[in-house]
Amino acid sequence: MMSQRRGIHLDQSELLCKKGCGFYGNTGWQGLCSKCWREENQREKQKQIQEDWALAERLQREEEEAYARHQKPQSQSSITPFSKFEERKTKEKSSKVHTVTKFFTPSTKTPPKKDSPYDAQSSPSPSSSAGRHSSLDSDHATREFIDFLKPLKSGREIFKQCRAFTESMVYKRDMGADELSECVQDFYQNLSDRLQTQFKGSTDHVESVMDEVEKYMMSRLYKEVFCPETTDDEKKDLAIQKRIRSLHWVTIEMLCVPVDEEIPEVSDSVVKAITDVIEMDSKRVPKEKLACVTRCSKHIFNAIKVSKKEAASADDFLPTLIYIVLKANPPRLQSNIQYITRFCNPSRLMTGEDGYYFTNLCCAVAFIEKLDGQSLNLSSEEFDLYMSGQASPSWPQASGASSCSPGSAALSQVHQRLDLLTGLGERQERVMEKARQLESDLIDWTDEVEQKVQTALESFPAETKNPTATATGGTSAEASSAIDADNIENELLPPPLQPQVFAG
């Protein structure tokens, strides 16, 4: 039996990139930050390209050796496969090297150029099934982007580049999600570098421009890049949703959440936090989704501060965030996390409060996916019973609950009342059983009485003969008169009153 609750603890160093660069990591990037993840991917791809080239050269060399050994003229068809293989690898390498450059060249599928690039607020999408609501949002984002860029000296060029890139991305919907993400992140990086040179290191100005670029591009590409068919994001959404539903029995005491929901202000903050994390799915821009996560986290910190009457710590925040996610069960949770990871401006995820709160949300989801009995101070048998629904956890006693949460006393009182209601329900069931037994006994008794009465009536007939009337040969009426005649008291009655004349 465990004597001390383990609780949930996450060292702050675990939130940082595993490479030690100082930025926040992410479970979607295997614990690396966006910068290190891209560098790691580039190295892996370069390594794969080199291995493919080495394989092609080895096969070509073996073919040449076989040719020299047998001294037979090789047909063109035997060399063709290797020639095609080499040609394909050459094209692949060239396309990977010039991935970014092609986005800054005019697209062959863009509409005819007008007098001003700002006149083309929206380009036709290849999909004719785009909803009207999505189109209106895209047009609104385009107008806002144009209004933002007009005061800038290079605003026209920025708009042309963003529009050309967005149009080219629409026609790449069949690409994998990682490849789409790489294209977008490369565009962000190159545009940011050019803006840094133009604005001479004005980081705030560059960030504001990049925020508007992200808003414009993702508003137009949302339908193509959010939960694409080439990924298993939808499958992950259903899995985490089912997982959270199966954990409905997890109590606030099991997670050691220092929140007292009996306090009105705390309860209000909890409700707002749940609303914000659910609202994340309704937003289209990664920055706006991150803003929902940040607001949710601030409401959590406020709830902890009011409950503990002191500032919240990181060890208090993560369990409470897990509790909020379990209560909210946000829609399309994994899809939203992946969307933010793939297409958000990487600098926002690597630093700042948005990056910190988002990293904690990823840790909370990972914790829920791997939650076991040990994390909740339960045995494996108890955890399996609760997960299968064959049993529910017993309510904690007041003495044991007070060590985890300020609101445990009130919750313990609620649990005691629930136990009392359970006892009353059992008593009511016993009373109803006795009432049904009494009803059955009454029916049996009624049947028995009716049977006895019937037997008695059959034994003693209702019609009997008067012996006096039979002897005198009189009728029943005469027999009745005879009975009245025997009434001697009638003779003692006074005579009836006689009418008298009034002599007035």
Side-chain angles (χ1 to χ4, degrees):
M1 182 177 179
M2 301 180 183
S3 58
Q4 184 177 3
R5 182 178 295 276
R6 195 181 80 165
I8 300 171
H9 174 74
L10 181 67
D11 196 301
Q12 292 302 292
S13 62
E14 298 179 24
L15 300 177
L16 300 178
C17 176
K18 291 183 179 179
K19 291 288 186 179
C21 62
F23 296 121
Y24 290 122
N26 191 295
T27 54
W29 297 322
Q30 299 179 2
L32 302 177
C33 68
S34 175
K35 182 172 178 286
C36 295
W37 172 252
R38 293 182 62 209
E39 292 176 353
E40 193 73 20
N41 272 351
Q42 290 294 338
R43 281 195 292 268
E44 290 292 333
K45 290 179 179 179
Q46 290 296 331
K47 182 180 177 182
Q48 185 65 38
I49 292 174
Q50 293 175 3
E51 291 177 354
D52 292 342
W53 273 97
L55 176 61
E57 292 175 357
R58 182 173 63 82
L59 293 175
Q60 186 69 25
R61 187 168 54 253
E62 292 176 356
E63 184 70 18
E64 292 174 355
E65 291 174 357
Y67 172 81
R69 186 166 52 252
H70 296 288
Q71 295 182 358
K72 292 182 179 180
Q74 299 293 327
S75 63
Q76 184 66 24
S77 60
S78 64
I79 302 177
T80 301
F82 299 103
S83 301
K84 289 184 178 180
F85 180 81
E86 185 175 357
E87 182 182 359
R88 181 172 61 85
K89 286 301 174 184
T90 304
K91 290 182 179 179
E92 181 180 354
K93 184 176 181 181
S94 177
S95 64
K96 292 180 181 298
V97 172
H98 302 286
T99 301
V100 181
T101 307
K102 63 184 178 180
F103 293 125
F104 294 94
T105 58
S107 174
T108 58
K109 298 182 180 180
T110 56
K113 186 175 180 181
K114 301 185 180 182
D115 296 338
S116 171
Y118 293 132
D119 295 336
Q121 293 188 2
S122 61
S123 60
S125 173
S127 173
S128 59
S129 60
R132 183 178 179 183
H133 181 71
S134 176
S135 178
L136 291 175
D137 289 342
S138 299
D139 293 343
H140 181 68
T142 303
R143 287 193 296 270
E144 289 186 347
F145 189 48
I146 291 173
D147 293 339
F148 174 81
L149 292 177
K150 279 182 178 179
L152 301 181
K153 182 178 180 180
S154 59
R156 183 172 299 181
E157 182 64 24
I158 294 174
F159 180 79
K160 287 172 61 178
Q161 294 175 3
C162 293
R163 187 184 65 184
F165 175 81
T166 305
E167 291 169 354
S168 66
M169 286 291 293
V170 171
Y171 293 92
K172 297 180 180 180
R173 63 182 64 188
D174 294 332
M175 294 176 60
D178 292 338
E179 295 176 346
L180 291 173
S181 174
E182 184 179 359
C183 292
V184 173
Q185 296 296 336
D186 286 341
F187 180 82
Y188 285 159
Q189 185 64 43
N190 283 273
L191 182 59
S192 177
D193 292 342
R194 296 179 64 177
L195 292 175
Q196 288 282 0
T197 303
Q198 177 181 345
F199 295 126
K200 298 180 181 180
S202 179
T203 306
D204 294 339
H205 201 169
V206 172
E207 287 298 322
S208 64
V209 173
M210 292 304 300
D211 288 344
E212 294 299 324
V213 169
E214 175 192 302
K215 181 178 180 181
Y216 164 72
M217 289 173 46
M218 290 300 104
S219 295
R220 298 188 61 188
L221 296 175
Y222 180 80
K223 192 172 182 179
E224 283 74 21
V225 300
F226 182 84
C227 192
E229 296 179 357
T230 57
T231 64
D232 59 348
D233 292 350
E234 185 176 0
K235 182 179 179 181
K236 291 180 180 179
D237 289 335
L238 297 175
I240 190 63
Q241 188 178 57
K242 182 178 179 181
R243 174 72 172 176
I244 293 176
R245 285 177 179 173
S246 64
L247 292 169
H248 65 90
W249 49 269
V250 176
T251 62
I252 197 171
E253 291 84 10
M254 292 179 179
L255 296 171
C256 286
V257 175
V259 168
D260 184 4
E261 294 188 76
E262 293 295 321
I263 302 176
E265 184 178 354
V266 174
S267 178
D268 185 60
S269 295
V270 169
V271 172
K272 289 180 179 178
I274 293 174
T275 303
D276 286 330
V277 75
I278 292 176
E279 187 182 2
M280 176 176 60
D281 184 61
S282 65
K283 304 300 181 181
R284 301 172 64 89
V285 182
K287 179 185 176 182
E288 296 175 354
K289 291 181 181 291
L290 275 179
C292 293
V293 177
T294 301
R295 289 197 301 270
C296 169
S297 301
K298 290 183 176 180
H299 288 311
I300 290 175
F301 273 110
N302 181 67
I304 298 174
K305 181 179 179 181
V306 174
S307 299
K308 295 182 65 176
K309 295 181 175 57
E310 61 182 19
S313 65
D315 289 339
D316 297 330
F317 171 68
L318 182 60
T320 311
L321 179 59
I322 294 171
Y323 174 69
I324 293 297
V325 173
L326 288 176
K327 290 193 69 174
N329 197 358
R332 300 193 292 184
L333 179 57
Q334 286 287 5
S335 290
N336 282 287
I337 290 177
Q338 292 298 327
Y339 176 72
I340 294 172
T341 302
R342 293 166 183 158
F343 303 108
C344 184
N345 188 351
S347 62
R348 188 175 295 108
L349 297 183
M350 294 163 58
T351 57
E353 62 177 8
D354 287 347
Y356 174 76
Y357 294 140
F358 180 70
T359 303
N360 275 274
L361 176 63
C362 295
C363 292
V365 175
F367 177 85
I368 292 173
E369 291 177 336
K370 300 177 182 179
L371 188 65
D372 56 9
Q374 186 179 7
S375 304
L376 301 175
N377 200 38
L378 299 172
S379 65
S380 299
E381 293 77 9
E382 289 177 321
F383 183 81
D384 293 339
L385 286 174
Y386 299 155
M387 288 294 291
S388 62
Q390 298 178 8
S392 58
S394 57
W395 303 121
Q397 300 297 326
S399 58
S402 60
S403 60
C404 278
S405 162
S408 57
L411 289 175
S412 178
Q413 185 179 5
V414 172
H415 296 156
Q416 291 175 0
R417 292 176 180 176
L418 290 175
D419 290 337
L420 179 60
L421 289 175
T422 302
L424 291 175
E426 295 175 354
R427 290 179 60 185
Q428 182 183 11
E429 184 63 28
R430 290 195 297 268
V431 170
M432 293 300 297
E433 180 65 28
K434 291 182 178 180
R436 287 190 291 268
Q437 183 63 38
L438 179 60
E439 182 181 9
S440 177
D441 293 342
L442 286 174
I443 293 174
D444 295 341
W445 179 79
T446 302
D447 294 341
E448 183 180 357
V449 169
E450 289 180 353
Q451 185 178 3
K452 290 183 178 180
V453 169
Q454 187 64 28
T455 303
L457 291 175
E458 292 176 354
S459 300
F460 304 95
E463 296 181 0
T464 57
K465 295 182 179 180
N466 193 329
T468 308
T470 305
T472 58
T475 63
S476 58
E478 293 175 348
S480 300
S481 300
I483 293 174
D484 294 336
D486 293 338
N487 190 352
I488 303 174
E489 294 181 356
N490 289 341
E491 298 178 354
L492 300 178
L493 292 175
L497 296 176
Q498 297 295 329
Q500 297 179 4
V501 179
F502 177 75

